[in-house]
Amino acid sequence: MDLEKEYRQKVITAEEGAALVKEGDVLELGFAAIFPVHFDEALAARKDDFRHVVIRNGILSNPSKLLEVGEPFEWQSWHATPDVRRAIERGTANHIPIRYSEMPRYIRENVRTDILVLPVSEMDEHGYFNFGLDSSHFLDQARMAKTVVVEVNPLQPRVAGRSESEIHLRDVDFIIETEGYPVAALPIRSYTEVDEKIAAFVVERIEDGSTLQLGIGALPGAVGDAIASSSLKNLGVHTEMYVDSFMDMTLAGKITGAMKTRDKGRQVFAFIEGSEKLYRFADENPELMSAPVDYVNDARVIADQYRMVSINTALHVNLRGEVSSETVGLRHISGAGGQLDFALGSYLAPDGKGFICLHSSRVDKNGVRHSNIVPDFSAGTIVTMVAPVTQYVVTEYGVANLKGKSTYERAKALIAIAHPECREELIRGAKAKGVWR
């Protein structure tokens, strides 16, 4: 069939797309920076037509009318962001605990998807829509969903990838056309002097030819700037999330990928999220390669990379070396993402290293200082990384390498990089736990 004719036969309005939804349906709507804005608004307008509909999404970066409405829409999140955290506290959203590398398998084996609604770039001459900033799991979603709806956003970048970065017209059931809307951009978070100190400790331990993974937050900006102004060379990229720091390092001539074991010369990631400048940099850039998250975050793939370095942040670390990056007690903050996978893979890699970075303490609104290195986690706190996995813990006061250390040695090393005002209290806590002598 003629592509243009087939395309026109599948075009519907956002309102007609929303009309496809039935009572009890389970929907998957985009991920991270790409979100079907027009469909979201159209379905929210039908709120009085339902008793219960499930909406699944992860790393919501756009305002969502469906999330705002709440019931009858139950929001299920693969990874919580501020709007979703507030909905969880209201009781209209739930978190899905995941190991991000396993998410495509969850989709294939464990979850139901009645309708997938996905923003895509405009169709090319061969009949393909590009997923744009995220190829982590959408092709599996499209294969498993009963109905596939694409929302065409002409302003969405086209990002190079493997064969899983596009979907063909024949595999799409309906098309919602739009005039285009800006892709959600993250505000550039300014980093502090504390972040700069932490970044300096990390960067001095990175070697030429290393392959890098960075997590989310202000710290990657500090690390990226420190690397950009360093003498490091021939670095590579293999990362879950591609952020502005990688662009900055590339433009500074630090990224070549020449020493990578896999995907030599390509910067590999599962999804991109950052500034508008980053999205322009990614558009049609052949050096970048989006790939499914069960490849990118596979600890075996990570372990293949020469001098793999993972750099992630945490909320708290306890004196055993367990890491919490998701909750504070029962209060949900974030998600596990690929932190565990990259910690495992980087340590298994030849000359690999894994860093967990955090400020030593925080000061509350009453001026009281609280240590982020703690004797133990509060009740209900999720352990993101178990103690044997943790390698380097970094604060503005130094670096603790926990591999091979006893419980006493771990406590001693971690207290040494805690805030000086908190160390005596931590020693008392360690004694109470029976790990101090």
Side-chain angles (χ1 to χ4, degrees), residues 197-205 355 394-399:
K197 290 179 179 179
I198 294 171
F201 283 127
V202 172
V203 172
E204 69 184 17
R205 287 165 173 79
F355 296 92
V394 189
T395 74
E396 70 272 28
Y397 291 102
V399 182

Side-chain angles (χ1 to χ4, degrees), residues 359-389:
H359 291 198
S360 65
S361 66
R362 66 197 184 283
V363 177
D364 66 23
K365 61 183 179 181
N366 298 315
V368 178
R369 186 176 298 279
H370 302 272
S371 180
N372 291 328
I373 294 174
V374 294
D376 212 341
F377 298 140
S378 56
T381 297
I382 293 173
V383 176
T384 308
M385 281 171 46
V386 294
V389 174

Side-chain angles (χ1 to χ4, degrees), residues 51-319:
R51 294 188 305 277
H52 185 245
V53 170
V54 173
I55 308 295
R56 279 200 311 262
N57 173 267
I59 318 182
L60 180 68
S61 302
N62 293 76
S64 168
K65 295 291 185 183
L66 290 166
L67 185 66
E68 181 182 320
V69 166
E71 294 182 352
F73 303 110
E74 178 193 342
W75 194 277
Q76 295 185 358
S77 177
W78 298 109
H79 189 107
T81 48
D83 285 352
V84 175
R85 287 200 294 268
R86 288 187 283 271
I88 290 172
E89 290 168 1
R90 293 194 302 268
T92 58
N94 290 291
H95 173 66
I96 309 170
I98 66 168
R99 186 176 168 196
Y100 191 20
S101 61
E102 296 177 343
M103 188 170 163
R105 183 172 176 181
Y106 302 159
I107 290 164
R108 294 190 297 267
E109 298 180 6
N110 304 117
V111 301
R112 183 181 107 223
T113 306
D114 295 302
I115 303 175
L116 169 66
V117 187
L118 182 64
V120 293
S121 64
E122 293 178 293
M123 187 178 77
D124 67 18
E125 61 182 313
H126 305 293
Y128 285 94
F129 301 92
N130 185 268
F131 293 141
L133 303 173
D134 190 338
S135 295
S136 73
H137 57 284
F138 289 139
L139 197 59
D140 280 300
Q141 278 282 12
R143 288 168 175 161
M144 300 305 298
K146 296 175 184 175
T147 302
V148 177
V149 181
V150 295
E151 184 169 289
V152 178
N153 181 4
L155 300 183
Q156 184 164 303
R158 296 186 69 88
V159 179
R162 306 196 322 177
S163 59
E164 300 93 342
S165 60
E166 292 89 20
I167 186 170
H168 195 271
L169 175 62
R170 63 176 169 266
D171 299 316
V172 171
D173 297 300
F174 298 102
I175 300 166
I176 297 171
E177 293 187 311
T178 76
E179 294 182 357
Y181 46 87
V183 177
L186 292 180
I188 300 297
R189 294 176 61 182
S190 58
Y191 51 80
T192 65
E193 184 180 349
V194 170
D195 293 316
E196 289 178 335
K197 290 179 179 179
I198 294 171
F201 283 127
V202 172
V203 172
E204 69 184 17
R205 287 165 173 79
I206 299 175
E207 301 169 274
D208 290 342
S210 294
T211 295
L212 306 179
Q213 176 263 329
L214 291 175
I216 192 170
L219 182 63
V223 171
D225 283 355
I227 290 175
S229 60
S230 75
S231 61
L232 288 168
K233 59 183 184 293
N234 287 328
L235 302 176
V237 176
H238 186 98
T239 187
E240 171 185 303
M241 180 178 179
Y242 194 90
V243 295
D244 281 76
S245 294
F246 291 117
M247 173 184 66
D248 296 337
M249 287 185 276
T250 302
L251 296 176
K254 303 300 177 181
I255 306 292
T256 66
M259 303 298 290
K260 290 183 70 177
T261 313
R262 286 182 180 238
D263 309 308
K264 194 179 294 289
R266 303 293 298 276
Q267 299 190 43
V268 178
F269 54 88
F271 69 96
I272 298 178
E273 193 160 19
S275 68
E276 292 178 6
K277 181 182 178 183
L278 177 64
Y279 299 156
R280 292 193 298 272
F281 173 80
D283 190 33
E284 303 278 7
N285 187 338
E287 185 175 344
L288 273 56
M289 188 179 99
S290 63
V293 73
D294 53 2
Y295 174 79
V296 177
N297 285 25
D298 187 331
R300 294 162 295 188
V301 173
I302 296 164
D304 273 351
Q305 294 292 1
Y306 173 65
R307 288 183 175 171
M308 184 72 214
V309 176
S310 70
I311 305 167
N312 288 293
T313 57
L315 298 169
H316 295 104
V317 175
N318 68 24
L319 293 181

